[in-house]
Amino acid sequence: MKFLAMTLGFHLPHPLTGELKPVTERFREIVAAAVVAEELGFDGFAFGERHERPFLSSAPPVVLSHVAAHTSTIRLFTAVTTLSLLDPVRAFEDYSTLDHLSGGRLELIIGKGNGSAQAQLFHVTDQDQWDRNREGYELFRRLWREDRVTWSGRFRPSLTDAEVLPRPLQRPIRIWHGSATSRESVELAARYGDPLFSANVTNPVEPYAELVAHYRERWEHHGHDPADALVGAGSAGYYATPRSQDAVETYRPIFDARVAFLRKQGLDPVFPTLEDAVERGSLLVGSPQQIIDKVHRYHERLGHEVMHVSAEADGLTGAQHRASLELFQSDIAPVLRKEIPSRPFPTGGPS
């Protein structure tokens, strides 16, 4: 199994102290988290894309370019690139440039995105969002593969023998399809023989497992070898200590503050207690062995080879988070790497 450290770039008050850090400091923390992830041996660093509160992740090519300049080996993921909102030509130019600046370390996870505010910002509707995502991906995919493209569609001006520069370093780049509950994303991934990354955060495992099973079914329907299907999955949070009691005691007030925040926003939490979230959700809190066992249980349902854990402290102190990540790499990751085989990531450069 391979492991990504992931952040969506939340900008929220500290769940326990109420402190809201300045935007500049938050960006510095995000870049520092990527540097630590590389230092500790994570395979990838993933940065989200959102265009509304409470996120600071509206410009992932900029942030990941800064991360690329401060790292040398870790692979750089988007989580996710919201193609339904973007001009695929402009997105290609940004990410092709980043591919060169990073030395071919870029991987993209694309998706429709969610959130009503960002949809309004880009004039995307419920009726056209999936068509935009599909059409944007089909053009985006061609741009990575063809030096000149002739194309027409509904949502951007047509192209005639268009040369879009710079040409990428990785040809083609690997593109994952991020999905929470959408069969449209799964169908697109299966049709083109692309890997799937399941969100696996908000709900119990059942709807995600159902979607992954549908992906594998559609993968075979489109004539692909079942052995080639590749799946990744997220997690809803992570904190480990040598003794499970210590992890639960430390994490409980953080979790309870999150639940209180959701209820203040008028939302009913799916997992009202920490015990429920650990038992039924993808939250990883406990001892190393408990977390290893839980990842195995999820792997039985999803068959995933890649997973992400939180790249940032998220309410923990810096020392607590660092110690937990070190424990992950010393006691958890080696076992899971051995027991759950995974295919190598691309090594960068043209293929």
Side-chain angles (χ1 to χ4, degrees):
M1 180 166 272
K2 290 185 167 50
F3 303 100
L4 314 181
M6 195 273 280
T7 178
L8 295 177
F10 280 104
H11 190 222
L12 288 168
H14 190 284
L16 303 182
T17 69
E19 176 193 8
L20 183 65
K21 293 183 177 179
V23 170
T24 302
E25 185 175 348
R26 280 294 295 122
F27 278 125
R28 288 173 178 163
E29 287 180 339
I30 289 166
V31 175
V35 172
V36 168
E38 177 173 273
E39 176 189 337
L40 295 181
F42 281 86
D43 301 288
F45 176 79
F47 185 66
E49 179 177 346
R50 301 291 190 277
H51 297 269
E52 59 188 352
R53 292 181 182 273
F55 305 99
L56 297 176
S57 49
S58 60
V62 179
V63 173
L64 289 175
S65 290
H66 200 59
V67 169
H70 286 77
T71 58
S72 58
T73 59
I74 197 166
R75 290 195 68 78
L76 309 176
F77 284 72
T78 61
V80 300
T81 296
T82 53
L83 276 183
S84 66
L85 309 180
L86 306 177
D87 177 355
V89 172
R90 192 71 187 93
F92 167 80
E93 291 174 333
D94 286 343
Y95 285 114
S96 180
T97 300
L98 174 53
D99 193 34
H100 284 280
L101 292 174
S102 67
R105 290 187 281 140
L106 178 65
E107 298 213 17
L108 295 168
I109 307 176
I110 66 106
K112 171 187 67 67
N114 51 38
S116 58
Q118 63 182 22
Q120 292 172 8
L121 187 66
F122 290 90
H123 296 278
V124 173
T125 69
D126 289 342
Q127 290 72 37
D128 69 18
Q129 58 185 347
W130 288 114
D131 289 339
R132 287 179 179 272
N133 186 65
R134 176 192 50 75
E135 179 180 292
Y137 175 65
E138 289 171 350
L139 174 55
F140 194 65
R141 177 185 177 87
R142 287 187 61 188
L143 291 170
W144 284 96
R145 288 164 168 76
E146 302 174 31
D147 290 336
R148 292 185 176 273
V149 174
T150 296
W151 173 92
S152 63
R154 290 174 54 197
F155 301 108
R156 78 165 319 278
S158 62
L159 302 174
T160 302
D161 197 30
E163 182 182 36
V164 186
L165 301 173
R167 301 310 302 149
L169 179 59
Q170 298 181 88
R171 303 187 65 180
I173 197 170
R174 183 162 70 178
I175 299 178
W176 302 66
H177 295 249
S179 179
T181 56
S182 129
R183 291 199 167 199
E184 288 87 347
S185 290
V186 163
E187 174 63 28
L188 199 61
R191 177 173 149 201
Y192 284 104
D194 296 329
L196 178 73
F197 212 104
S198 170
N200 191 42
V201 168
T202 307
N203 297 299
V205 71
E206 286 77 14
Y208 304 117
E210 179 183 345
L211 207 65
V212 169
H214 181 66
Y215 165 69
R216 296 184 189 280
E217 175 187 321
R218 297 303 295 169
W219 178 277
E220 290 191 57
H221 170 82
H222 288 291
H224 306 301
D225 186 339
D228 292 337
L230 177 60
V231 174
S235 64
Y238 161 73
Y239 183 57
T241 57
R243 291 190 341 131
S244 61
Q245 300 94 320
D246 296 332
V248 170
E249 181 181 353
T250 299
Y251 203 81
R252 184 182 302 282
I254 297 169
F255 182 87
D256 289 346
R258 283 184 187 159
V259 169
F261 176 80
L262 289 173
R263 287 183 167 145
K264 188 176 180 181
Q265 302 300 310
L267 302 172
D268 190 20
V270 176
F271 308 109
T273 68
L274 176 57
E275 286 74 14
D276 189 34
V278 170
E279 175 64 26
R280 296 193 303 120
S282 64
L283 182 64
L284 303 173
V285 174
S287 68
Q289 190 59 54
Q290 287 175 321
I291 289 172
I292 289 168
D293 292 344
K294 182 167 184 177
V295 172
H296 271 289
R297 291 198 300 273
Y298 267 74
H299 179 71
E300 289 173 2
R301 302 295 304 275
L302 303 175
H304 58 310
E305 300 179 26
V306 182
M307 66 171 286
H308 74 56
V309 299
S310 177
E312 297 192 88
D314 195 26
L316 300 164
T317 67
Q320 287 170 334
H321 185 56
R322 171 81 186 217
S324 182
L325 292 178
E326 289 176 346
L327 189 62
F328 187 91
Q329 289 296 349
S330 65
D331 289 29
I332 299 171
V335 176
L336 292 173
R337 289 185 197 280
K338 180 180 178 181
E339 295 178 349
I340 302 176
S342 58
R343 282 158 276 193
F345 279 170
T347 56
S351 60

